[in-house]
């Protein structure tokens, strides 16, 4: 900026320009205001409350006693039992994300490369159909399938490959995979569908065979979809409550159920709060790492 | 003359009702700059893609230096392509883009480094090695695409409307540069374009296509001066069409009864169309005494005048009502005409081509 620029001229009226700019920024603020308010009231505030509660002593009924502070609940996170729950949850969420990716990628690729738009839309609708009925109902359906007389169990017994899975970890895993696979397929589809196929052709033209072209071009360019899909599967898997509650047994407690237990039969709100903050932290760290790895493509 | 690319009876059908390329036979000579020219949808790009291996012909044979490879995948062909949209890998920098082909062929790392550096320097992009394609201008991206293809020393370089996305000035500069590069490396270039001017100025030979057919192959001069049919005459440059019939003495009787001389070998009695380029028509004042008797003469009247700066277009109505455009260089020695002037137009006996209609 030189002095010359700041001198008022006949063409530009700096006062008017500044006014217009200010009006513009106010307009933006008002547009975003409802969302801001909503997020503050229903997200930031509860988060603060939960964090505060996690440092409070508890009464005999399990309610937090504000005013008496302790670090006990945070120390309790180190208990072997708690650690195993956290570990199992993260492991299952990770496994579920990985398998969703391995199953979802070829599927999304296949849909995205159908020539007819009608066919693509039809296949996408198929992916979305499960959402037309309630998640709870669908999980109960799995319960029927996986029970002693269920279809899945019968097939397993007939082939001798597996037995009754209900109330075991594999049942929870199946339920999670079923529940969140569409969240992997949709962003992958979007990414692959937007791919510039000229680039794949260019790779083929430059001596890459089909496999190399996929690894060097298709895969890196669908990374935004992989990242979005992974986050969309990992986070709800980590906090899953309904699936492990209905399909898992007492030995397969996951973080979601464990937290609910603390607030209900466990009568320990502050500890439940500490667990909730922990799960949030894990999700945030995992997401940040993932975004970092994704580089600037997002 | 060795054939770099030898195309024999190549047909490409998509589904049952679309014939993109219809029984094309063509030899492209080693070291020449060959253009495939035609309107969009004429099959020229499909033809190029079949040479590249990105499409396989339904019928026919494609040989490159005697090696049959019509059905060979693109990665196993000694050709490289400069794509219309450049198709640079957006997730790789300039250096990585250019090195891609060599890396895929597992060339020694030190050699890659050296050749990539040479190629980048050859297209004047030194210092840009670490930039991503999105950080380059259209012209620079174009150069990267060129370097990425040429670094592999292909036997044939395929270019699919490579200059289409550039603005006029840059396009003209790149035309000259491309031509220079081609004569430097001596590689056969096959250049697909719908821009007839580009094809005329750059090519050693041109193949004109329409509706999947190869209509004419020849030097730019042959294509422009002696088009084989009405489509070629019309697509390349501007021209006038005058309908007529071949008279017994070989002259052409045009509507209105006048007889003119033209080139062509249509038999007497055949219906023909004369194609006559606007710049070959001279305009004289009616009754001028110094007319060359060796030139065809037709009386007419100026009905329109368009001033283009470097030239002036006159529309002349012949006696039978046929409208003919004539182009005059804007030079002081040529007399200006006005609308309504009674004139006589003349053109050389070899200037008009009689096409069997």
């Amino acid at each position: 900026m030189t002095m010359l620029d700041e001198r008022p001229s006949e063409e530009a009226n700096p006062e008017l320009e500044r006014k217009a700019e200010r009006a513009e920024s106010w307009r933006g603020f008002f547009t975003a205001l409802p969302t801001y308010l909503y997020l503050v009231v229903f997200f930031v505030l509860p988060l603060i409350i939960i964090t505060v509660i996690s440092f409070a002593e508890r009464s005999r009924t399990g309610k937090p006693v504000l005013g008496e502070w302790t670090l006990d609940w945070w120390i309790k996170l180190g208990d072997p039992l708690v650690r195993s729950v956290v570990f199992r949850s993260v492991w299952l969420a990770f496994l579920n994300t990985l398998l969703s990716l391995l199953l979802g990628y070829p599927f999304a690729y296949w849909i995205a490369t159908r020539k007819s738009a009608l066919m693509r839309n039809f296949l996408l609708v198929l992916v979305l159909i499960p959402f037309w009925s309630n998640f709870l109902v669908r999980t109960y359906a799995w319960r029927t399938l996986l029970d002693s007389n269920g279809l899945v169990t019968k097939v397993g017994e007939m082939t001798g490959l597996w037995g009754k899975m209900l109330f075991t970890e594999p049942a929870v895993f199946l339920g999670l995979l079923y529940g969140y696979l569409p969240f992997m397929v949709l962003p992958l589809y979007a990414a692959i569908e937007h791919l510039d196929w000229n680039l794949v052709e260019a790779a083929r033209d430059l001596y890459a065979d089909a496999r190399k072209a996929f690894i060097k071009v298709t895969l890196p360019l669908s990374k935004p979809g992989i990242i979005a899909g992974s986050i969309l599967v990992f986070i709800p898997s980590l906090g899953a409550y309904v699936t492990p509650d209905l399909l898992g047994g007492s030995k397969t407690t996951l973080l979601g159920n464990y937290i609910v237990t603390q607030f209900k039969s466990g009568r320990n709100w502050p500890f439940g709060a500490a667990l909730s903050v922990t799960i949030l932290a894990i999700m945030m760290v995992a997401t940040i790492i993932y975004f970092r790895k994704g580089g600037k493509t997002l | 003359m060795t054939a770099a690319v030898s195309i024999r009876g190549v047909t490409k059908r998509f589904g049952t009702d679309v014939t993109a390329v219809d029984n094309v036979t063509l030899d492209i000579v080693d070291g020449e700059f060959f253009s495939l020219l035609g309107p969009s949808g004429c099959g020229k790009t499909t033809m190029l893609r079949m040479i590249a291996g990105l499409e396989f012909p339904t019928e026919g044979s494609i040989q490159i230096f005697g090696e049959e490879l019509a059905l060979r995948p693109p990665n196993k062909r000694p050709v490289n392509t400069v794509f219309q949209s450049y198709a640079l890998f957006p997730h790789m920098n300039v250096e990585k883009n250019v090195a891609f082909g060599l890396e895929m062929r597992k060339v020694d790392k030190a050699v890659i480094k050296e050749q990539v550096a040479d190629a980048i320097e050859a297209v004047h992009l030194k210092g840009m090695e670490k930039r991503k394609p999105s950080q380059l201008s259209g012209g620079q991206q174009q150069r990267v695409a060129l370097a990425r293809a040429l670094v592999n020393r292909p036997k044939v370089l395929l270019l699919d409307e490579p200059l289409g996305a550039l603005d006029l000035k840059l396009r003209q500069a790149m035309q000259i540069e491309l031509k220079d590069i081609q004569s430097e490396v001596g590689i056969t270039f096959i250049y697909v374009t719908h821009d007839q001017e580009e094809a005329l100025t750059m090519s050693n030979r041109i193949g004109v296509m329409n509706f999947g057919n190869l209509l004419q192959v020849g030097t730019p001069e042959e294509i422009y001066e002696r088009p084989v049919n009405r489509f070629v005459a019309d697509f390349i440059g501007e021209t006038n069409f005058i309908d007529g019939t071949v008279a017994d003495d070989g002259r052409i009787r045009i509507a209105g009864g006048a007889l003119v001389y033209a080139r062509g070998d249509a038999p007497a009695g055949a219906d023909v169309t004369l194609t006559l380029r606007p710049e070959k028509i001279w305009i004289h004042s009616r009754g001028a005494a110094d007319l060359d008797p060796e030139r065809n003469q037709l009386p007419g009247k100026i009905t329109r005048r368009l001033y283009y700066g470097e030239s002036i277009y006159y529309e002349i109505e012949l006696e039978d009502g046929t409208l003919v455009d004539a182009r005059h260089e804007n030079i002081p020695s040529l007399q200006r005409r006005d609308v309504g002037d009674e004139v006589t137009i003349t053109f050389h006996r070899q200037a008009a081509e009689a096409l069997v209609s």
Side-chain angles (χ1 to χ4, degrees), chain B residues 316-336:
Chain B
I316 300 129
E317 187 180 341
L318 302 182
E319 279 183 330
D320 65 315
T322 307
L323 294 174
V324 171
D325 286 334
R327 193 181 89 126
H328 270 194
E329 289 300 318
N330 184 5
I331 42 179
S333 59
L334 283 176
Q335 191 188 329
R336 298 287 179 85

Side-chain angles (χ1 to χ4, degrees), chain B residues 162-238:
Chain B
L163 308 182
L166 304 179
D167 60 52
L168 183 66
K169 278 269 158 63
L170 196 55
R171 195 157 70 225
Q172 288 169 339
M174 281 302 290
Q175 281 176 7
I176 295 169
E177 206 170 311
L178 263 181
K179 195 71 189 134
D180 286 349
I181 288 171
Q182 196 256 342
S183 48
E184 233 168 77
V185 294
I187 293 173
T188 310
F189 275 33
I190 304 179
Y191 192 94
V192 158
T193 180
H194 67 271
D195 184 333
Q196 39 104 5
E197 205 176 284
E198 206 167 274
L200 289 176
T201 54
M202 296 173 78
S203 321
N204 297 114
R205 285 196 307 153
I206 298 170
V208 185
M209 289 185 76
N210 195 31
F211 294 124
N213 295 300
L214 187 63
L215 302 176
Q216 186 174 5
V217 177
T219 63
E221 222 167 320
E222 283 166 356
I223 299 275
Y224 186 80
E225 306 285 348
R226 313 212 58 179
V228 293
N229 62 26
R230 196 179 167 124
F231 175 82
V232 176
D234 196 24
F235 188 71
I236 290 134
E238 285 171 60

Side-chain angles (χ1 to χ4, degrees), chain A residues 199 201 204-207 216, chain B residues 49 75 80-81 88 91:
Chain A
L199 298 174
E201 288 193 336
R204 295 302 310 275
D205 184 67
L206 293 163
Y207 312 105
K216 290 274 182 185
Chain B
R49 287 169 60 80
N75 50 319
N80 288 111
T81 309
L88 299 178
H91 56 302

Side-chain angles (χ1 to χ4, degrees), chain B residues 60-357:
Chain B
S61 134
I62 297 173
Q63 293 187 351
I64 294 179
F65 289 98
E67 205 180 343
E68 174 64 41
L69 34 66
L71 300 176
R72 200 185 283 186
N75 50 319
K76 294 188 174 146
R77 297 186 185 215
V79 301
N80 288 111
T81 309
V82 176
F83 290 85
Q84 184 169 17
S85 52
Y86 316 137
L88 299 178
F89 305 123
H91 56 302
M92 298 180 195
N93 62 26
V94 170
E95 207 169 30
K96 281 274 166 202
N97 263 285
V98 176
F100 192 91
L102 297 173
E103 275 171 9
M104 286 300 119
R105 285 196 299 178
K106 302 203 164 58
V107 175
D108 186 66
K109 283 228 163 67
V111 178
I112 293 182
K113 206 167 173 206
E114 193 187 310
Q115 292 187 351
V116 166
D118 286 351
I120 290 175
E121 197 172 348
V123 294
H124 314 298
L125 285 176
K126 212 161 185 252
M128 308 256 185
E129 288 89 346
K130 302 295 175 203
R131 292 216 193 158
K132 289 276 180 73
S134 58
Q135 295 167 300
L136 299 174
S137 70
Q140 289 167 335
Q141 290 181 27
Q142 169 64 63
R143 287 159 206 269
V144 177
L146 202 60
R148 186 177 69 172
L150 282 173
V151 75
N152 302 293
R153 317 226 162 129
K155 286 183 178 164
V156 179
L157 186 74
L158 310 173
L159 303 102
D160 186 6
E161 308 222 10
L163 308 182
L166 304 179
D167 60 52
L168 183 66
K169 278 269 158 63
L170 196 55
R171 195 157 70 225
Q172 288 169 339
M174 281 302 290
Q175 281 176 7
I176 295 169
E177 206 170 311
L178 263 181
K179 195 71 189 134
D180 286 349
I181 288 171
Q182 196 256 342
S183 48
E184 233 168 77
V185 294
I187 293 173
T188 310
F189 275 33
I190 304 179
Y191 192 94
V192 158
T193 180
H194 67 271
D195 184 333
Q196 39 104 5
E197 205 176 284
E198 206 167 274
L200 289 176
T201 54
M202 296 173 78
S203 321
N204 297 114
R205 285 196 307 153
I206 298 170
V208 185
M209 289 185 76
N210 195 31
F211 294 124
N213 295 300
L214 187 63
L215 302 176
Q216 186 174 5
V217 177
T219 63
E221 222 167 320
E222 283 166 356
I223 299 275
Y224 186 80
E225 306 285 348
R226 313 212 58 179
V228 293
N229 62 26
R230 196 179 167 124
F231 175 82
V232 176
D234 196 24
F235 188 71
I236 290 134
E238 285 171 60
T239 198
N240 296 295
F241 289 118
I242 304 165
D243 291 330
T245 318
V246 182
D248 291 335
D249 63 353
R251 286 190 292 174
I252 315 292
R253 184 182 304 279
I254 63 172
L259 285 162
V260 294
Y261 290 96
R263 282 194 311 201
D265 43 19
D271 285 333
V272 293
T273 301
L274 294 182
T275 162
L276 179 59
R277 303 283 183 192
E279 74 275 10
K280 309 214 171 185
I281 300 174
W282 293 359
I283 302 171
H284 310 265
S285 303
R286 182 72 59 83
D290 56 344
L291 295 188
D292 181 353
E294 288 299 299
R295 293 174 68 86
N296 294 305
Q297 299 180 15
L298 292 170
K301 196 169 87 180
I302 306 278
T303 48
R304 202 189 290 271
R305 192 178 81 169
L306 290 172
Y307 180 78
Y308 275 85
E310 93 278 5
S311 62
I312 301 163
Y313 269 80
Y314 295 104
E315 183 190 73
I316 300 129
E317 187 180 341
L318 302 182
E319 279 183 330
D320 65 315
T322 307
L323 294 174
V324 171
D325 286 334
R327 193 181 89 126
H328 270 194
E329 289 300 318
N330 184 5
I331 42 179
S333 59
L334 283 176
Q335 191 188 329
R336 298 287 179 85
R337 309 286 167 181
D338 287 313
V339 174
D341 283 4
E342 298 282 334
V343 295
T344 300
I345 62 166
T346 71
F347 53 94
H348 196 271
R349 290 178 175 191
Q350 299 288 313
E353 188 80 22
L355 307 168
V356 179
S357 37

Side-chain angles (χ1 to χ4, degrees), chain A residues 66-78:
Chain A
L66 297 175
E68 291 172 41
W69 306 107
T70 174
L71 279 174
D72 284 1
W73 316 120
W74 286 92
I75 292 160
K76 201 181 167 185
L77 288 174

Side-chain angles (χ1 to χ4, degrees), chain A residues 19-33:
Chain A
K19 252 189 192 161
E21 238 168 68
R22 222 176 300 144
E24 183 82 21
S25 81
W26 273 111
R27 231 189 337 266
F29 177 75
F30 281 120
T31 313
L33 191 62

